[in-house]
C-alpha cells in the first residue's frame, strides 16, 4: 500500500515523499474489537461455569485469550512497518522501520536510479530497487506487482524533475 | 530491505526446503506442515480403522469371539478418540494449512513457528494415548465422552488420557489461533471478507468455535483429574458434586466440536461443486450466513445428547426446538449445492463424486439427527445403534468423504501430477458402497433395540451385524487404494496445469502446479476473474 504526500495541500512544492506500508486487512481498531469480542464470549462461558462452582474452566479461558492476544499482537506488529522515500533537493532519503526509522540511507539524487527488475523465478513479482554507485537497495517488498510499477514510474518522474524545481525554498 | 551488488542478486530470497529429515522437523512452511498433518491424519485414520475392525470382527456374530468385554470397551473409546482428534481434525487442519494462505494470497500462516509446534505436539499426544493400551487396567474404556463416575474407575490410563487430551487441545488451539489471525490480518489487497472462498469462511468460523469451547474441555478433564487424585468433588455426588454437570459441561464443548468436524467439510464441498458444475456457487452470501447460524446454534443445543438424563420439560422443549432449527441453515446449504448443480455442465471426476456422495449421504445423517432431536423418540433411540448409525453417517460420508474429496481435488496442485482417475473412481465406488453396507443396517438394529457399546447381542440382530461387519472390512481395505493413488501421484503422472480443473477459479489456481515452496512472497493482485464463485456480485 502506498501513500504520497505530494498531493497533500500542506506539502510544499519541493517536497516529494512516498510512504510504503504492508497491506493490513485488519486495522488496529478491528483487531481490538475482535479480541474484546472473543474475550467476552470465552470469559462469559467460563464465568457461567464458575458461578456453578466449576471454576477450573476460567484459568484455561484466560490462558487461551492470552495466547490469542499474543498471536494477534505479533501478527499485527508487522503492519506498523513503514518505508519512507523523500526526494529533497539533490538528495534522496530512504528510511525504514516500525516505531521510528531503524534504518536510514541517503543517496545523491543525480546518481540514484529506480530499477524494476524482473524475477527469474516464475510467478514472483519484480523487485523494486534503488540503485546508486553499483549498489542496490531493495524496497517495497510488501507491494503488489501493479503497485511496484506505479511506484517505479512515480519515483522515476520525481528523480527526473529539474533539481531547481524540487529545491527547498531558502 | 536488502542491499547487494548490482547484477548479483537473482533469486536471493528463493530458498527451497532443507534437505533430509530435518526439513520435516524444523519446517515452518505451511505447505510442509499441511503435508505432515495430512499424513498424520491418514496414519491415525488407519489406526482408528483397525480398532473399528476389531469391534466389527467381535460383532460379526453373537457371543464373545476374539476379545474380552473390557478390551472391547477400550476399542470403542480409543476408536472414537483417535478418529476425532487424530483423524478428522488434523485432516481438516492439514487442508487449511495447505490451502488457506494460497486462497487469500498470504505468504504463509501468521505464526509459522507456532504452527510447527502445534503439529509436533500431536505425535506425542497420540503416543501417550496409545501407550495406555499397555498400562495396568488397560486403555480408557468409559467412552470418548469420559463420563464420571465410570471414567474415574479407569486404571493407570486416566492421567495419561487427560494429559493426551490436554496436548490435543493445545494443538487445536494453536492451529485455530493461527488460522483466525491469518485470515483476519493477512488477506491480499482486494480480498475482502465477502470475496473469500467458502473454505476460508468455514474455517474462520470453525476456528472461532474451537477458541470458544476448548477451555471448557480442558477445564472438564482437569476437574476429572482433581476428583481422582486431589480429593475434589466436582462430579462426585458423595462429596456434594454433580456427575450430571459433567455431561452438561462436556456436551457444551462436544456439540460445537461436532460442527468443528463438519463446517470445514461444507467449505470443501462448496469449493468443489461449482468447479465441476461449471457454474458459480448459488447463494454465496446465504452460505456464509448459514454457516454462522449453524455455529451460533451449536452453543444452545448441547442437552439433546442427554435428554434421558433428566431435565425439566421446558428445557427438553427448548433443546428439541433449537436442535430442529439447525435443519434450516443446513437445508439452505443443501438447497444451494443442488441449485448450483441445476442445469450445470456437470462432469463426474473423483472429487465431484465424493462431493455428490457427501450431499446425499450427509443429508441422510441429518435426517436421522432430526429424528433424534424429537424428545419422546430420543427416549427410545438413546444409546441404541440408531445413534451409532446417525453419527457415522455424519462423520464418515460427511467429514471423511469431504477430506477425501479435498485430497483428490487439490492433489494435482500439491504434487504437480494428475492422480489416476480410474483408481480414484474405484476408490470412490468401493468406499460409497461399503460405507452404506456398514452403517445403513445399524439404523435397523438400533430401531429394533440393539444397544451401543456392547460386545455381545441377542441373536435377533445377527444378520444386520454380519452385514455391517462385512461392510466395515470392505470399507477399511478400500482405503488402501487411496494410499496407493496418493503415492503414485507423488511419484509421477501426467503433469498438472496450474489451473488443473477447467472450471477452477481462485488465487490458489493462479500459481503453477506443484505450488512453489513459497507462494505469494509479495502480495498478489486479486483480479475479478480469480474471485471464486464468490462473489461476483461483490466484485
Amino acid at each position: 500500500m502506498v501513500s504520497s504526500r505530494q498531493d497533500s495541500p500542506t506539502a510544499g512544492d519541493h517536497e516529494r515523499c512516498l510512504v510504503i506500508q504492508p497491506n493490513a486487512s485488519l486495522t488496529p481498531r478491528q483487531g481490538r474489537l475482535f479480541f474484546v469480542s472473543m474475550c467476552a464470549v470465552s470469559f462469559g462461558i467460563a464465568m457461567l461455569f464458575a458461578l456453578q462452582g466449576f471454576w477450573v474452566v476460567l484459568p484455561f479461558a484466560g490462558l487461551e485469550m492470552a495466547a490469542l492476544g499474543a498471536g494477534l499482537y505479533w501478527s499485527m506488529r508487522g503492519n506498523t512497518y513503514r518505508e519512507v522515500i523523500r526526494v529533497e533537493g539533490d538528495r534522496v532519503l530512504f528510511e525504514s522501520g516500525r516505531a521510528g526509522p531503524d534504518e536510514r540511507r541517503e543517496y545523491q539524487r543525480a546518481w540514484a536510479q529506480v530499477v524494476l527488475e524482473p524475477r527469474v523465478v516464475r510467478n514472483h513479482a519484480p523487485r523494486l530497487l534503488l540503485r546508486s554507485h553499483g549498489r542496490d537497495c531493495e524496497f517495497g517488498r510488501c507491494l503488489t506487482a501493479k503497485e511496484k510499477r506505479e511506484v517505479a514510474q512515480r519515483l522515476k518522474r520525481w528523480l527526473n524533475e529539474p533539481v531547481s524545481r524540487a529545491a527547498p525554498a531558502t | 530491505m536488502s542491499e547487494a551488488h548490482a547484477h548479483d542478486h537473482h533469486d536471493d530470497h528463493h530458498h527451497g526446503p532443507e534437505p533430509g529429515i530435518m526439513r520435516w522437523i524444523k519446517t515452518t512452511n505451511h505447505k510442509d506442515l499441511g503435508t505432515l498433518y495430512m499424513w498424520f491424519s491418514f496414519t491415525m485414520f488407519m489406526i482408528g480403522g483397525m480398532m473399528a475392525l476389531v469391534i466389527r470382527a467381535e460383532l460379526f456374530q453373537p457371543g464373545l469371539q476374539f476379545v474380552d468385554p473390557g478390551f472391547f470397551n477400550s476399542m470403542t473409546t480409543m476408536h472414537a478418540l483417535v478418529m476425532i482428534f487424530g483423524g478428522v481434525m488434523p485432516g481438516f487442519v492439514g487442508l487449511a494449512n495447505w490451502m488457506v494462505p494460497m486462497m487469500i494470497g498470504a505468504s504463509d500462516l501468521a505464526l509459522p513457528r507456532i504452527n510447527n509446534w502445534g503439529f509436533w505436539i500431536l505425535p506425542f499426544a497420540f503416543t501417550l494415548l496409545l501407550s495406555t493400551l499397555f498400562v495396568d487396567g488397560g486403555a480408557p474404556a468409559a467412552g470418548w465422552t469420559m463420563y464420571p463416575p465410570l471414567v474415574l474407575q479407569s486404571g493407570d490410563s486416566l492421567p495419561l488420557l487427560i494429559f493426551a487430551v490436554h496436548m490435543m487441545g493445545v494443538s487445536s488451539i494453536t492451529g485455530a489461533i493461527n488460522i483466525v489471525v491469518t485470515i483476519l490480518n493477512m488477506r491480499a489487497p482486494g480480498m475482502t471478507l465477502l470475496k473469500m472462498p467458502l473454505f476460508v469462511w468455514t474455517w474462520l468460523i470453525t476456528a472461532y468455535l474451537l477458541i470458544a469451547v476448548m477451555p471448557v474441555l480442558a477445564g472438564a478433564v482437569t476437574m476429572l483429574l482433581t476428583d481422582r487424585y486431589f480429593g475434589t468433588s466436582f462430579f462426585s455426588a458423595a462429596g456434594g458434586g454433580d456427575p450430571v454437570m459433567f455431561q452438561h459441561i462436556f456436551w457444551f464443548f462436544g456439540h460445537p466440536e461436532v460442527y468443528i468436524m463438519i463446517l470445514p467439510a461444507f467449505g470443501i464441498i462448496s469449493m468443489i461443486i461449482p468447479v465441476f458444475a461449471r457454474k458459480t456457487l448459488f447463494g454465496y452470501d446465504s452460505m456464509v450466513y448459514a454457516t454462522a447460524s449453524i455455529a451460533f446454534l451449536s452453543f444452545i443445543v448441547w442437552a439433546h445428547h442427554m435428554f434421558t438424563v433428566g431435565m425439566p420439560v421446558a428445557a427438553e422443549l427448548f433443546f428439541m426446538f433449537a436442535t430442529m432449527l439447525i435443519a434450516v441453515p443446513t437445508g439452505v446449504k443443501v438447497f444451494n449445492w443442488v441449485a448450483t448443480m441445476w442445469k450445470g455442465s456437470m462432469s463426474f471426476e473423483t472429487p465431484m463424486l465424493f462431493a455428490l456422495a457427501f450431499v446425499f449421504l450427509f443429508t441422510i445423517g441429518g435426517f436421522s439427527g432430526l429424528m433424534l432431536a424429537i424428545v419422546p423418540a430420543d427416549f427410545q433411540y438413546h444409546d441404541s445403534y440408531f445413534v451409532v448409525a446417525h453419527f457415522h453417517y455424519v462423520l464418515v460420508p460427511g467429514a471423511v468423504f469431504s477430506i477425501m474429496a479435498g485430497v483428490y481435488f487439490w492433489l494435482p496442485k500439491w504434487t504437480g501430477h494428475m492422480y489416476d482417475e480410474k483408481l480414484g473412481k474405484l476408490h470412490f465406488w468401493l468406499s460409497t458402497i461399503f460405507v452404506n453396507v456398514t452403517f445403513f443396517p445399524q439404523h435397523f438394529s438400533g430401531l429394533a433395540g440393539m444397544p451401543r457399546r456392547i460386545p455381545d447381542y441377542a441373536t435377533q440382530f445377527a444378520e444386520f451385524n454380519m452385514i455391517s461387519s462385512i461392510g466395515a472390512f470392505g470399507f477399511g481395505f478400500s482405503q488402501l487404494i487411496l494410499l496407493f493413488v496418493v503415492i503414485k501421484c507423488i511419484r509421477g503422472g501426467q503433469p498438472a496445469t496450474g489451473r488443473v480443473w477447467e472450471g477452477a477459479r481462485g488465487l490458489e489456481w493462479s500459481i503453477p502446479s506443484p505450488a512453489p515452496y513459497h507462494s505469494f512472497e509479495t502480495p498478489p493482485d486479486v483480479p475479478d476473474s480469480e474471485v471464486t464463485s464468490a462473489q461476483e456480485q461483490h466484485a
Side-chain angles (χ1 to χ4, degrees):
Chain A
M1 191 181 186
V2 189
S3 56
S4 165
R5 277 169 52 193
Q6 181 198 19
D7 303 323
S8 160
T10 55
D13 188 41
H14 61 280
E15 196 174 351
R16 300 284 184 265
C17 178
L18 267 186
V19 180
I20 295 170
Q21 62 190 82
N23 173 63
S25 47
L26 193 66
T27 63
R29 187 171 168 275
Q30 289 169 331
R32 276 195 298 274
L33 212 70
F34 170 73
F35 182 64
V36 169
S37 69
M38 279 307 309
C39 283
V41 171
S42 195
F43 286 122
I45 292 168
M47 281 305 295
L48 281 177
F49 287 120
L51 289 173
Q52 300 289 320
F54 301 90
W55 56 268
V56 184
V57 178
L58 204 52
F60 285 107
L63 279 174
E64 197 190 44
M65 286 304 105
L68 177 66
L72 269 172
Y73 170 77
W74 185 259
S75 177
M76 294 181 71
R77 198 169 148 259
N79 298 350
T80 58
Y81 178 76
R82 298 286 184 275
E83 288 173 349
V84 181
I85 301 166
R86 282 198 183 84
V87 181
E88 291 177 349
D90 60 352
R91 295 181 312 161
V92 178
L93 286 172
F94 177 90
E95 289 172 336
S96 67
R98 284 209 172 90
D102 296 330
E103 193 146 7
R104 194 167 190 279
R105 291 169 191 275
E106 191 172 326
Y107 299 90
Q108 290 175 20
R109 181 172 167 184
W111 289 95
Q113 277 182 295
V114 176
V115 180
L116 194 64
E117 187 184 75
R119 296 288 288 273
V120 182
V121 183
R122 194 179 159 200
N123 213 51
H124 279 207
R127 293 180 2 140
L128 196 52
L129 306 167
L130 258 177
R131 179 174 291 171
S132 179
H133 292 87
R135 297 187 77 82
D136 286 346
C137 160
E138 186 179 357
F139 66 102
R141 275 191 192 157
C142 55
L143 300 177
T144 66
K146 189 179 162 197
E147 287 171 330
K148 283 183 178 182
R149 280 192 294 274
E150 286 168 3
V151 166
Q153 276 174 7
R154 190 184 300 183
L155 276 176
K156 277 178 186 169
R157 201 172 62 237
W158 289 356
L159 292 177
N160 289 337
E161 282 174 357
V163 176
S164 57
R165 191 187 160 218
T170 51
Chain B
M1 192 187 68
S2 68
E3 185 166 353
H5 283 286
H7 316 301
D8 189 23
H9 44 245
H10 293 300
D11 309 331
D12 47 346
H13 304 295
H14 181 70
H15 52 275
E18 192 169 332
I21 188 77
M22 292 312 284
R23 164 184 178 178
W24 301 103
I25 293 170
K26 289 164 60 182
T27 185
T28 54
N29 182 284
H30 72 100
K31 298 183 183 85
D32 279 354
L33 284 158
T35 305
L36 285 171
Y37 267 112
M38 295 311 290
W39 279 116
F40 180 81
S41 165
F42 187 78
T43 308
M44 287 296 128
F45 186 51
M46 285 289 136
I47 292 172
M50 282 188 272
M51 291 171 175
L53 294 187
V54 171
I55 294 167
R56 287 315 321 172
E58 181 55 51
L59 293 174
F60 185 74
Q61 60 184 35
L64 295 177
Q65 275 75 233
F66 303 108
V67 293
D68 65 77
F71 187 74
F72 182 91
N73 287 341
S74 290
M75 284 293 100
T76 55
T77 304
M78 296 288 276
H79 164 72
L81 288 167
V82 167
M83 286 303 202
I84 292 169
F85 293 108
V88 175
M89 287 176 66
F92 283 130
V93 177
L95 292 175
N97 254 276
W98 250 105
M99 301 313 298
V100 166
M102 291 201 288
M103 286 176 171
I104 62 171
S107 54
D108 204 314
L109 287 176
L111 312 161
R113 286 174 200 276
I114 299 290
N115 198 17
N116 172 290
W117 189 56
F119 170 75
W120 279 109
I121 291 174
L122 279 180
F124 293 99
F126 280 89
T127 305
L128 204 62
L129 181 67
L130 294 172
S131 72
T132 58
L133 286 162
F134 307 102
V135 301
D136 262 1
W144 82 281
T145 50
M146 300 176 278
Y147 284 176
L150 184 60
V151 76
L152 298 176
Q153 296 163 22
S154 306
D156 293 346
S157 64
L158 184 68
L160 298 176
L161 165 69
I162 290 172
F163 192 42
V165 169
H166 272 301
M167 289 166 83
M168 294 167 204
V170 170
S171 173
S172 296
I173 288 165
T174 56
I177 289 175
N178 225 330
I179 288 168
V180 162
V181 174
T182 305
I183 295 172
L184 291 181
N185 191 43
M186 293 179 67
R187 299 192 310 277
M191 180 61 76
T192 57
L193 284 175
L194 282 172
K195 283 186 188 173
M196 293 194 311
L198 261 171
F199 181 63
V200 180
W201 254 115
T202 51
W203 243 112
L204 179 64
I205 293 169
T206 300
Y208 185 94
L209 284 181
L210 268 167
I211 293 170
V213 298
M214 272 298 165
V216 179
L217 175 69
V221 295
T222 305
M223 286 186 274
L224 285 179
L225 193 77
T226 59
D227 271 10
R228 166 83 178 254
Y229 292 103
F230 299 100
T232 59
S233 302
F234 288 110
F235 306 121
S236 165
D242 184 0
V244 173
M245 264 310 283
F246 178 86
Q247 298 189 27
H248 282 288
I249 296 172
F250 181 85
W251 285 113
F252 190 87
F253 146 80
H255 200 79
E257 170 69 18
V258 172
Y259 292 113
I260 286 163
M261 289 191 287
I262 203 66
L263 293 184
F266 291 163
I268 295 168
I269 301 307
S270 302
M271 301 298 293
I272 292 174
I273 288 179
V275 170
F276 295 98
R278 290 163 183 82
K279 278 177 69 187
T280 53
L281 183 71
F282 183 87
Y284 170 86
D285 286 11
S286 62
M287 285 296 218
V288 173
Y289 298 133
T291 309
S293 307
I294 292 170
F296 169 74
L297 289 171
S298 76
F299 286 110
I300 55 167
V301 295
W302 77 88
H304 69 217
H305 294 272
M306 38 186 288
F307 280 140
T308 56
V309 86
M311 62 184 81
V313 173
E316 286 180 343
L317 284 171
F318 170 79
F319 286 111
M320 177 171 79
F321 290 130
T323 304
M324 288 176 165
L325 208 55
I326 295 176
V328 177
T330 312
V332 168
K333 283 182 170 292
V334 174
F335 178 85
N336 285 351
W337 290 324
V338 175
T340 304
M341 290 185 271
W342 179 252
K343 291 187 176 177
S345 294
M346 301 211 342
S347 59
F348 299 93
E349 287 85 348
T350 310
M352 183 61 162
L353 290 174
F354 272 107
L356 288 173
F358 171 95
V359 175
F360 192 77
L361 299 174
F362 173 78
T363 306
I364 293 177
F367 278 132
S368 57
L370 264 179
M371 293 168 70
L372 286 161
I374 303 165
V375 177
D378 182 75
F379 272 64
Q380 299 299 314
Y381 305 149
H382 187 81
D383 256 346
S384 76
Y385 251 82
F386 188 80
V387 179
V388 178
H390 155 68
F391 69 71
H392 277 99
Y393 260 88
V394 174
L395 286 176
V396 185
V400 174
F401 269 30
S402 78
I403 294 173
M404 289 173 183
V407 167
Y408 281 110
F409 188 50
W410 288 309
L411 198 57
K413 175 57 63 186
W414 301 341
T415 63
H417 304 124
M418 295 305 289
Y419 62 85
D420 188 324
E421 189 65 52
K422 273 186 186 165
L423 283 178
K425 283 182 174 160
L426 178 70
H427 173 230
F428 164 76
W429 283 112
L430 289 176
S431 295
T432 304
I433 290 166
F434 282 124
V435 89
N436 284 293
V437 172
T438 308
F439 297 116
F440 209 78
Q442 293 177 3
H443 290 110
F444 305 127
S445 46
L447 289 175
M450 179 172 162
R452 62 190 287 205
R453 292 174 174 161
I454 51 159
D456 189 10
Y457 50 84
T459 49
Q460 71 193 81
F461 307 121
E463 283 81 10
F464 286 137
N465 274 285
M466 188 178 285
I467 295 168
S468 221
S469 292
I470 291 168
F473 277 87
F475 182 76
F477 287 112
S478 302
Q479 303 320 307
L480 297 176
I481 302 173
L482 173 64
L483 178 66
F484 182 76
V485 170
V486 171
I487 291 173
K488 190 178 171 200
C489 186
I490 291 168
R491 291 168 68 92
Q494 186 192 339
T497 59
R499 192 67 52 180
V500 181
W501 309 108
E502 186 190 4
R505 280 195 295 169
L507 288 176
E508 72 274 27
W509 303 111
S510 69
I511 55 178
S513 300
Y517 195 61
H518 297 284
S519 42
F520 303 128
E521 276 194 322
T522 50
D525 293 307
V526 185
D528 287 350
S529 59
E530 292 299 358
V531 176
T532 51
S533 43
Q535 321 111 359
E536 288 176 322
Q537 45 202 319
H538 296 285

